[in-house]
Amino acid sequence: MIKKWWSKVKEDGPGYGYYPEPSKSWLIVKEDKEERAKELFPDVNITSVGHRYLGSFIGSEDGMKEWVKNEVKTWVKEIEQLSEIAHNEPQLAYSAYTIGLSKKWNYLLRTTPGIATELEPIEKAIREKLLPAITGQPFIPDTLRSIMALPTRMGGLGVENPCHMADLEYQNSLNATEELQKAIQKQAVEYIPNPEIEKTIAHKIRTGKAKYHKECRDKIIQSIKPREARNLDLLSEKGASTWLTCLPLESLKLTLNRQEFFDSISARYDLPLVGQPRATQCVCGEDNSIDHSMSCKRGGFVAVRHDCVRDFLTAELDKVCYDTVAEPHLLEVRGAKLPPGTITEDGARLDIRTRGFWGPMDCTYFDVRVFNPRAQSNVTQDIPRMYTKHEEGKKKNYLHRVLEVEKATFSPLVMATTGGLGQEFGRTLKQLATKKSRKTGYTYQECIRYLRVRLSFSMVRSITCSIRGYRGRNKNDDTSSDLYHIY
């Protein structure tokens, strides 16, 4: 049968533009059939071991494992080369791995069963060379490795363990091709995909993978301290990991140098700082921890963090609205009866005023607050309650004054240093993305992605400045009297 088929292909193939080349063709047969096959196909390569086919392998189990072993050696070498790059450019290496290199063996996982053990050298290279080079940490503990294997939306880095994913990916591939398999087994002349069935299968695969990651995350949370579990919840908020998943494009100023990337990872997972040494004590007298750096007002970095968010939003609002002003003065109260707690002083200002945001000619005021969710005042509160508390505080101070005196609307924009947003900020960002989409012609998804990325990077840069920035001389270290000895 195969001999007749091969002869027919060689005879009729050229008429259809297909020219079979026997020297490049392989016939895979059982070992006891090998000699007979060589007699029937003298011009074709014959093997009973197997051969590579479309990025996978067809043949015996021993042949498949030997082929996978050689492929793994190549990939391990590439991981080692990428690790060398990561010593100088960790952000670029991280993006190259998650977007490029890791996809090389993803296809193999989906097409080749039972290879989890053969992939162990890849995991070893990832854990012992790539992750230390990307994070700057000399050693990656088991728990931290498990966290980093989670998707970024769950607080991880998206650097999966290929040994753990092998069986799941292969099963997902079987599910995805189930209808095609049935058509081949029935020898159907024509295969017409059913969109509804494909949609159902795709949903099943996504749900299964999400369930797997959730189970992994739940196991991690059960094994770590409450503070660490809360931190993982903070990193799982929408927008908290956007800076990790975007391309490091210099044209959009989305690049971080080696020290900035190391510090950002250390701040993300509360790891020891690496790289350039820094003082163990802040100029204010407190221990110079990462959490203290986020809250210390010496050096003006808390204000800089706030101003970065305000200035970015002002610039974006100015593109889609009109009469956009930063730090506008509010009208005088002049005896208006306002609830207790309302700021009534003359000269009060909010962060942004614009028109045409929620509706035509409507005037809207925004006020930004960026808070540290790991500060002592917040660390004992539920995460949603933190945002609500800060929003309510802003509304208590300004809402009634804006409504009754300015005859405008007011939206408090609350953001955490970890990248999460309050409900009011989330709604505002969605409306801004909608208006930007209509104005520019880009899709809503592209616009909301752009806004989240820029906000995320503003926060990451402000964090690295807070950690490494100069805060001035210690107030007890007064050397001004030394100036008199110069002259």
Side-chain angles (χ1 to χ4, degrees), residues 127-168:
R127 180 167 180 173
E128 296 182 1
K129 296 186 178 181
L130 182 64
L131 286 177
I134 286 175
T135 63
Q137 302 295 320
F139 175 71
I140 307 297
D142 291 343
T143 302
L144 183 59
R145 176 66 186 102
S146 299
I147 292 174
M148 290 180 172
L150 293 173
T152 54
R153 69 179 182 278
M154 291 186 174
L157 290 181
V159 182
E160 296 177 331
N161 185 331
C163 301
H164 294 168
M165 298 303 297
D167 293 338
L168 177 63

Side-chain angles (χ1 to χ4, degrees), residues 29-48:
V29 299
K30 293 183 179 180
E31 191 172 356
D32 58 337
K33 305 290 185 182
E34 190 169 359
E35 293 301 323
R36 177 58 176 162
K38 288 179 180 179
E39 295 175 6
L40 294 174
F41 302 92
D43 55 346
V44 175
N45 298 293
I46 309 294
T47 177
S48 59

Side-chain angles (χ1 to χ4, degrees), residues 26 94 126 146 160 174 199 224 279 343 362 376 434 453 466:
W26 286 83
Y94 170 74
I126 291 171
S146 299
E160 296 177 331
L174 290 180
K199 186 177 179 180
I224 58 181
I343 293 177
D362 285 351
Q376 290 300 317
T434 300
V453 166
S466 298

